Amino acid sequence: MKSNAKASAMTDNRQFCEESLEALTRTQLEELQWTRLQKTLERVAHSPFYGGRFREWGLNSSGFQGLDDLSRLPFTTKKDLRSAYPYGFLCTPKDKLVRLHVSSGTTGQATAIFYTQKDVENWANLLARSMYMTGARPGDTFQNLTGYGLFTGGLGFHYGAERLGLLTIPAGAGNSKRQIQLMQDFSTSVIHIIPSYALLLMPIMMEMGVDPRRELNLRIGFVGAEPYSEEVRRRIEDFYGMRVYNSYGLSEMNGPGVAFECPCQQGMHLWEDFYLVEIIDPQTLEPVPPGSYGEMVLTSLTREAMPLLRYRTKDLTRILPGECPCGRVHRRLDRMQGRSDDMFIIKGVNIFPVQVEQVLMNIPEVGNNYQILLRNENNIDDMIVRVEVTDRVFVEDMRRLQTLQKKIARDLRGELLVTPQVELVEPHSLPKNEGKAVRLVDERKQ
Ligand code: ADP
Ligand code: ZN
């Protein structure tokens, strides 16, 4: 069953979707970036926010001589976006706007992002390019299992997939049995899904008696919008029998399609013809040494409605050294560690939820959902890790469960240098989210 769609999808063997923009030399790329940055600097001067700032600093776009001059500008923050809500960053007249998205507000008050027709087209092209890079082709059926509406993941991928010529099913998030039915009925070969939902869908498929490797036609999964570990990628790939490509984006920079993995699966190419990237130390705000982890700062180079200069994403990652075997000039980002807001401190140790996930998902008896709970009792911080076990383990005897509990605590200690309390819970008993997963509950803050 798998082979038919594969054969038709493989007839176009070009390596690049937009050869002239993917296979540039670094010098050509930097020339393009500089041309686009100049235009962006002219454009932003029309927004109340940047216009005001430029006047304050006595700057105008002609005062910039090259890409390096960008570092003379202060950063733009989420707080700035909120303070100027809703129109303070707008650079075009309102009658040029065709779309508005609102960031999902994972961390606090939402922010509004506007698009002109050209912004929507550029965005669709970026996603078409990204999907093409992984091998998706006309002839594929693409099922989009992420929320439509204000979240950019739905419409962003939708327009990109149609631009590429994929048969696109706007399934949206949730309604799991229906999703599986759609996959069966229309031989879905490519999906877009957030990692936590991909994990939650597995037991439902098993319950329905559907073996995805034998009965579904899946071959490519775009998985992103929230942090996940290499271990989760492997679980998803093994279960669904498809290759998983990491996809990164944020509403402030359009949405998905900012950085995307190529078939080498060694980091995500950041589309540098559309975005300028810097990695800074979030404390000192200075650039980190090449290849080191830090906070990613992005400048949009083509956005018309609402370009942002040196936007602090709060996402922590690094630029991978060296060139990608695929030959694309665009540099690669390492898997996101999380947002700086996600990091928690317990007993003096800094931890990201994804580090916990990495340990848990390496243990076969551990199911697909977990939760980290932080508490303070009598002035002592406690970290409790609630772990769903698999159905098979759940029926085992007490002694084996205790052994498993000890192993998980030991492995977590090995990675985190903190010994958490581990609670094993029934399969499917932890809270589920259709949107981005909430892995951390910090009761110390309440
Ligand atoms: P919100 O900030 O409300 O979640 P967005 O939908 O714009 O709104 O989410 C963008 C954020 O999602 C990014 O800044 C990043 O923190 C996270 N994200 C997106 N893609 C990935 C990915 N592949 N890996 C890790 N985190 C991601
Ligand atoms: Zn590559």
Side-chain angles (χ1 to χ4, degrees):
M1 180 167 175
K2 282 204 169 194
S3 52
N4 309 347
K6 247 185 208 163
S8 62
M10 285 303 173
T11 46
D12 177 0
N13 282 326
R14 278 179 300 146
Q15 188 188 355
F16 301 110
C17 181
E18 296 178 284
E19 176 111 26
S20 63
L21 294 170
E22 291 176 66
L24 300 167
T25 62
R26 175 110 323 245
T27 315
Q28 288 168 327
L29 177 64
E30 284 177 3
E31 277 165 16
L32 178 64
Q33 287 177 324
W34 173 230
T35 310
R36 289 182 168 180
L37 179 63
Q38 283 170 293
K39 225 182 225 157
T40 300
L41 288 167
E42 279 164 29
R43 209 172 271 141
V44 294
H46 297 291
S47 77
F49 180 85
Y50 286 120
R53 276 199 169 183
F54 276 23
R55 273 192 299 281
E56 218 175 277
W57 307 320
L59 274 180
N60 62 49
S61 56
S62 57
F64 291 82
Q65 303 303 317
L67 289 174
D68 289 343
D69 282 348
L70 191 67
S71 60
R72 287 166 43 204
L73 288 172
F75 298 102
T76 306
T77 63
K78 190 122 191 157
K79 207 164 148 210
D80 295 327
L81 289 185
R82 285 176 184 148
S83 72
Y85 181 88
Y87 294 120
F89 277 85
L90 206 57
C91 300
T92 47
K94 284 197 195 129
D95 63 4
K96 292 273 177 279
L97 302 177
V98 300
R99 178 88 69 80
L100 142 69
H101 279 283
V102 171
S103 93
S104 50
T106 311
T107 56
Q109 189 198 314
T111 45
I113 312 295
F114 301 97
Y115 304 71
T116 63
Q117 189 68 54
K118 187 80 191 145
D119 288 334
V120 171
E121 278 166 24
N122 280 335
W123 185 21
N125 277 339
L126 267 182
L127 275 158
R129 179 203 286 187
S130 303
M131 291 190 252
Y132 184 96
M133 173 166 72
T134 66
R137 295 288 184 277
D140 273 310
T141 300
F142 170 67
Q143 191 166 326
N144 195 4
L145 292 86
T146 55
Y148 277 66
L150 293 175
F151 173 58
T152 49
L155 285 171
F157 265 88
H158 186 100
Y159 274 57
E162 286 188 350
R163 171 62 52 96
L164 184 56
L166 311 183
L167 169 57
T168 304
I169 310 182
N175 211 343
S176 302
K177 291 196 171 144
R178 180 100 189 275
Q179 299 280 6
I180 297 163
Q181 191 68 52
L182 287 167
M183 287 179 192
Q184 289 179 307
D185 293 351
F186 301 103
S187 291
T188 301
S189 49
V190 181
I191 61 171
H192 173 222
I193 188 164
I194 65 172
S196 48
Y197 189 46
L199 292 171
L200 291 178
L201 205 55
M202 291 182 193
I204 300 170
M205 259 189 203
M206 291 198 291
E207 216 174 86
M208 284 171 73
V210 175
D211 174 355
R213 287 180 157 270
R214 290 199 14 244
E215 291 161 62
L216 299 180
N217 191 36
L218 299 173
R219 61 186 191 94
I220 296 176
F222 307 127
V223 178
E226 61 182 358
Y228 64 112
S229 57
E230 205 49 51
E231 286 68 19
V232 163
R233 182 212 310 255
R234 229 178 296 131
R235 270 192 187 210
I236 300 173
E237 287 194 329
D238 289 348
F239 182 84
Y240 292 96
M242 64 183 183
R243 292 198 80 191
V244 164
Y245 299 100
N246 198 358
S247 146
Y248 169 86
L250 65 166
S251 319
E252 295 88 328
M253 295 288 142
N254 280 337
V258 174
F260 219 89
E261 260 183 338
C262 72
C264 304
Q265 292 182 312
Q266 294 169 19
M268 299 178 283
H269 288 284
L270 181 106
W271 296 126
E272 290 188 81
D273 49 336
F274 281 76
Y275 304 100
L276 278 180
V277 59
E278 301 168 74
I279 309 282
I280 61 162
D281 177 322
Q283 257 78 48
T284 64
L285 306 185
E286 291 299 321
V288 297
S292 304
Y293 281 99
E295 178 180 342
M296 181 164 61
V297 171
L298 293 173
T299 297
S300 43
L301 291 175
T302 60
R303 278 182 54 73
E304 289 185 340
M306 203 175 150
L308 298 179
L309 303 176
R310 304 193 87 198
Y311 181 66
R312 289 187 61 180
T313 64
K314 293 194 173 181
D315 289 323
L316 302 172
T317 183
R318 65 185 186 124
I319 294 177
L320 289 169
E323 281 167 20
C324 186
C326 79
R328 284 177 182 81
V329 64
H330 307 265
R331 284 175 295 171
R332 290 163 302 157
L333 302 179
D334 206 349
R335 193 171 278 287
M336 299 286 149
Q337 291 185 306
R339 303 186 212 226
S340 44
D341 309 328
D342 295 337
M343 192 192 75
F344 60 92
I345 302 179
I346 185 113
K347 299 184 171 131
V349 181
N350 298 352
I351 299 174
F352 286 98
V354 81
Q355 288 176 274
V356 174
E357 175 180 295
Q358 200 182 315
V359 172
L360 296 179
M361 296 297 155
N362 249 328
I363 302 174
E365 294 90 343
V366 168
N368 284 345
N369 205 355
Y370 65 94
Q371 191 181 50
I372 305 161
L373 191 68
L374 304 178
R375 277 199 183 133
N376 183 293
E377 268 170 43
N378 307 321
N379 282 329
I380 297 174
D381 275 352
D382 264 329
M383 172 175 169
I384 298 132
V385 181
R386 292 192 170 137
V387 182
E388 281 187 8
V389 292
T390 59
D391 286 301
R392 197 168 41 80
V393 174
F394 191 66
V395 294
E396 286 185 1
D397 63 48
M398 253 345 247
R399 209 166 36 88
R400 303 245 334 237
L401 285 174
Q402 278 166 357
T403 313
L404 174 63
Q405 198 172 19
K406 281 191 194 135
K407 175 181 166 46
I408 295 173
R410 206 174 46 238
D411 287 1
L412 284 170
R413 189 188 153 73
E415 166 71 22
L416 312 174
L417 308 174
V418 169
T419 311
Q421 290 177 40
V422 173
E423 288 178 9
L424 300 183
V425 301
E426 274 183 60
H428 327 305
S429 61
L430 290 174
K432 294 182 192 45
N433 247 1
E434 267 175 20
K436 301 190 185 195
V438 181
R439 300 294 189 198
L440 181 71
V441 181
D442 192 346
E443 290 183 354
R444 300 174 304 178
K445 292 181 183 156
Q446 285 163 11

